Amino acid sequence: MEIKFQTKEESNKQQQDNFLKLSKSERIYAFLNLMERMSQFPVKNKIESNKDNFIIELKAK
């Protein structure tokens, strides 16, 4: 494990440089991998769409 002390700007620049070193197909796979990891990230509140709502239906005669 390596510990580096750097500013946020330096860290962002290094991440960007590392990403740009990847080939186009590797970038796509890295992006898809990131999306997969984000979908598994725990969230505190999940909004249920119809939990506190009611629906009024007006039927035509």
Side-chain angles (χ1 to χ4, degrees):
M1 179 180 203
E2 183 179 342
I3 299 175
K4 290 184 179 182
F5 295 96
Q6 56 191 12
T7 65
K8 183 176 180 180
E9 290 79 17
E10 291 170 339
S11 175
N12 289 342
K13 178 67 174 152
Q14 183 180 15
Q15 289 177 14
Q16 182 181 16
D17 290 343
N18 290 339
F19 183 75
L20 293 176
K21 287 178 187 176
L22 299 174
S23 69
K24 290 180 182 182
S25 61
E26 289 174 325
R27 290 181 198 175
I28 291 172
Y29 285 121
F31 175 75
L32 294 175
N33 186 25
L34 174 65
M35 292 295 99
E36 178 65 27
R37 289 191 339 228
M38 289 300 293
S39 70
Q40 297 170 355
F41 193 81
V43 292
K44 188 172 183 179
N45 295 326
K46 290 189 176 182
I47 299 172
E48 295 180 21
S49 60
N50 290 328
K51 182 179 176 186
D52 296 326
N53 296 333
F54 62 94
I55 299 172
I56 300 175
E57 291 183 15
L58 301 175
K59 297 183 180 181
K61 293 183 180 180

